[in-house]
Amino acid sequence: IEMEPVRASERKRLIRRVEVTHEMMTALPAREDLSFMHAGFCQTCLPHSRPGDNRNVWRRSSGRFTLIVSPGVIEDAGPASAPDKADSIRYVGVPYGTRARLIMIYLQTEGLKGRHVSLGKSLTTFLRSLGLPNTGGPRGSIVAVREQSLRIARCNITMQWKTVEADGVQKIVLSDTRIVDGLELSQSSSSDDWAGEVQLSERFYEHLKAHAVPLDKRAIAHLSGNNLGLDLYTLLAYR
């Protein structure tokens, strides 16, 4: 069978993948190379792409665990004469994509150090912490990170477990929470006009401390542009 030759760029990518895998398997991560994520998010996942409707609720199950993410709402800035109109309220949608995953991992990693999470002195600094380029425009990292930060800050999380008691009776345990308590997000297009801190909700913070799963930052950096790769890695890390 005649096989097509591997392109130089593809060959380079495959070699780099082998090198990273070898490095991770032969050298355990140092303490500063560890990230963390809640076990519930490791077992399930967020949407890979933008949901068709910002009002849609996201649901994923794994065994006896179910994650339900409900979108939050905000009031759009509009004329001061019509603040109470129903159409001034809009759903912002649930978080999705690789940027949302990287932000979630960052918040939970830093959140284990304390509820007050520093995002850096500027958006440029925060993008660098996420391993993302400082790019503008409709498809750039600046717009995407602002959008996903808002979606994460406004969404409501329900974690549901099914348990079986010794007498065989099945019970459902529900935990409702938000990830952060509020967010200051400027509407300026400047990458340096940025709130430098958020606070994890107390309920999520306590739950995270009890159910944090360690991750290797080297793996996250290597898979930062791959939704499925990040999901599979965090699932395998949990297991």
Side-chain angles (χ1 to χ4, degrees):
I1 300 176
E2 184 176 350
M3 301 182 65
E4 295 183 3
V6 178
R7 292 179 299 177
S9 59
E10 177 69 8
R11 179 181 177 83
K12 184 177 181 180
R13 186 178 67 85
L14 292 173
I15 291 175
R16 178 56 185 159
R17 179 181 296 174
V18 172
E19 290 174 346
V20 171
T21 303
H22 179 265
E23 177 185 349
M24 291 180 58
M25 295 181 68
T26 54
L28 292 175
R31 186 177 182 85
E32 60 271 17
D33 290 328
L34 287 178
S35 290
F36 294 89
M37 196 169 189
H38 189 286
F41 289 110
C42 290
Q43 295 177 70
T44 55
C45 66
L46 294 172
H48 285 185
S49 57
R50 180 187 294 271
D53 191 325
N54 281 344
R55 295 170 295 182
N56 289 349
V57 173
W58 177 257
R59 174 186 176 277
R60 278 295 180 271
S61 295
S62 177
R64 297 178 179 176
F65 175 77
T66 298
L67 174 72
I68 303 171
V69 185
S70 303
V73 298
I74 62 170
E75 180 183 34
D76 276 331
S81 59
D84 297 326
K85 284 188 175 181
D87 58 5
S88 67
I89 301 297
R90 70 176 176 91
Y91 285 89
V92 298
V94 300
Y96 67 90
T98 55
R99 271 86 168 223
R101 286 162 169 76
L102 295 176
I103 295 171
M104 291 283 283
I105 292 172
Y106 178 89
L107 290 177
Q108 293 171 75
T109 300
E110 296 301 312
L112 282 178
K113 303 172 185 177
R115 285 181 61 197
H116 294 272
V117 178
S118 172
L119 303 180
K121 297 180 180 179
S122 67
L123 179 53
T124 300
T125 304
F126 186 51
L127 289 170
R128 190 180 300 118
S129 299
L130 299 177
L132 296 174
N134 183 20
T135 54
R139 296 188 177 183
S141 295
I142 294 175
V143 172
V145 167
R146 286 181 183 276
E147 178 187 1
Q148 297 306 320
S149 297
L150 178 60
R151 288 172 177 249
I152 290 170
R154 297 303 302 140
C155 72
N156 295 287
I157 306 293
T158 297
M159 296 183 180
Q160 177 176 313
W161 292 267
K162 294 180 181 178
T163 63
V164 179
E165 303 298 311
D167 56 3
V169 176
Q170 188 177 87
K171 291 185 177 180
I172 294 178
V173 180
L174 294 170
S175 177
D176 297 321
T177 186
R178 302 182 72 90
I179 297 173
V180 302
D181 285 335
L183 172 70
E184 180 183 335
L185 193 61
S186 171
Q187 294 182 318
S188 169
S189 59
S190 171
S191 64
D192 288 333
D193 192 357
W194 179 249
E197 185 180 274
V198 296
Q199 180 175 272
L200 297 187
S201 72
E202 184 173 1
R203 188 176 183 86
F204 182 72
Y205 172 64
E206 294 298 330
H207 219 264
L208 175 63
K209 289 195 298 182
H211 301 282
V213 175
L215 306 173
D216 193 325
K217 287 184 178 179
R218 297 171 297 178
I220 295 168
H222 187 63
L223 298 169
S224 61
N226 186 329
N227 282 304
L228 181 59
L230 287 169
D231 292 343
L232 290 175
Y233 171 68
T234 54
L235 174 62
L236 293 173
Y238 164 75
R239 290 189 173 179

